[in-house]
Amino acid sequence: MSAPRILIIEDEPDLLRGLALNLKAEGYGVLTASRGDAGIEQALRDRPELVLLDIMLPGMNGLDVCRELRRKGFEAPIIMLTAKAEEVDRVVGLEIGADDYVTKPFGIRELLARIRARLRRHVPTAAGLRLGPVEIDFDKHEATRGGQRIELTGKEFDVLRLLARHRGEIVTRDRLLEEVWGYEAYPTTRTVDNHILRLRQKLEEDPSNPRYILSIYGEGYKLV
Ligand code: CA
């Protein structure tokens, strides 16, 4: 397997050079961009395995770069390089689709640890699911939003897994009952609806106006 490639989008030349040297020394392939708009092009063209993304950038700021990459279906982990605490609030609060962040000035060892963790965790197969900023790992029973853990119950995972397996198709309440609850005592379609409600509250940006877990009136639910 070839070394993972990391795209660094950073406009401070010294920091960019230092990061590139350190990452190469660790055996990573390194790509660089010093503008936001150029970074998007490069990410979509070269498909790096991970992106380090500064926030204050010429061309387009890092928050918009991150949103745009996610909107275009770019799924690799993105770690934001933030300059100050107020930027952290925006990264975490705005649900821009980033996986993690480090605050400048950061130690290279801390950054390398974050990179390794992200590369390890990113599973681009059916074992994982990404819904905007939310990442779900079915094998490990872990759900995170921007690096923050979301607590899901076992049943909630099972419901989500069934919907994910049939992504884009309608899954009826009866089928959910049968496959998730089986012959457990007295579950009803109301049970299914309650679980869907809770999943939306945990995963959707606007639970009352869901983007991912849709109700198909009179039929069931669909994950899109
Ligand atoms: Ca900058």
Side-chain angles (χ1 to χ4, degrees), residues 10-12 54 56-57 104:
E10 169 63 67
D11 64 325
E12 291 160 49
D54 185 27
M56 293 299 288
L57 286 168
K104 294 176 184 177

Side-chain angles (χ1 to χ4, degrees), residues 26-84:
E26 289 293 307
Y28 294 113
V30 174
L31 309 164
T32 62
S34 49
R35 292 177 56 89
D37 42 7
I40 290 182
E41 275 175 38
Q42 192 155 5
L44 296 176
R45 188 181 61 229
D46 295 332
R47 297 278 156 185
E49 277 68 41
L50 185 140
V51 175
L52 296 179
L53 177 55
D54 185 27
I55 292 188
M56 293 299 288
L57 286 168
M60 186 189 247
N61 77 57
L63 301 171
D64 290 338
V65 169
C66 188
R67 266 195 218 97
E68 182 70 4
L69 283 174
R70 294 302 186 220
R71 206 178 59 77
K72 296 206 155 139
F74 182 81
E75 293 199 333
I78 298 176
I79 300 177
M80 307 297 295
L81 309 176
T82 70
K84 39 188 188 288

Side-chain angles (χ1 to χ4, degrees), residues 81-206:
L81 309 176
T82 70
K84 39 188 188 288
E86 62 215 58
E87 287 185 343
V88 172
D89 291 344
R90 295 170 73 195
V91 169
V92 174
L94 283 178
E95 309 198 338
I96 57 169
D99 296 277
D100 204 353
Y101 63 88
V102 291
T103 311
K104 294 176 184 177
F106 48 82
I108 190 68
R109 255 186 273 175
E110 182 197 354
L111 180 63
L112 290 171
R114 302 286 185 96
I115 289 172
R116 277 194 293 272
R118 281 296 142 194
L119 286 174
R120 210 170 34 232
R121 221 175 292 177
H122 183 66
V123 190
T125 63
L129 174 69
R130 179 187 275 288
L131 302 173
V134 175
E135 225 179 83
I136 293 124
D137 185 329
F138 290 117
D139 287 343
K140 293 191 198 138
H141 268 223
E142 275 181 1
T144 53
R145 176 190 281 110
Q148 307 273 84
R149 185 155 187 156
I150 305 170
E151 293 299 333
L152 295 183
T153 66
K155 282 280 185 282
E156 286 165 354
F157 264 107
D158 292 343
V159 168
L160 201 55
R161 196 197 319 259
L162 183 61
L163 291 173
R165 212 156 58 219
H166 301 279
R167 197 169 185 167
E169 301 165 25
I170 297 167
V171 180
T172 63
R173 287 183 177 81
D174 284 341
R175 179 157 185 194
L176 279 159
L177 267 180
E178 202 178 295
E179 291 205 28
V180 174
W181 281 267
Y183 294 99
E184 283 176 37
Y186 316 117
T188 66
T189 51
R190 174 69 64 85
T191 312
V192 176
D193 295 340
N194 286 338
H195 276 73
I196 294 283
L197 213 65
R198 280 206 297 275
L199 277 173
R200 281 178 179 152
Q201 277 159 1
K202 292 177 181 180
L203 306 179
E204 297 269 4
E205 278 164 49
D206 178 2

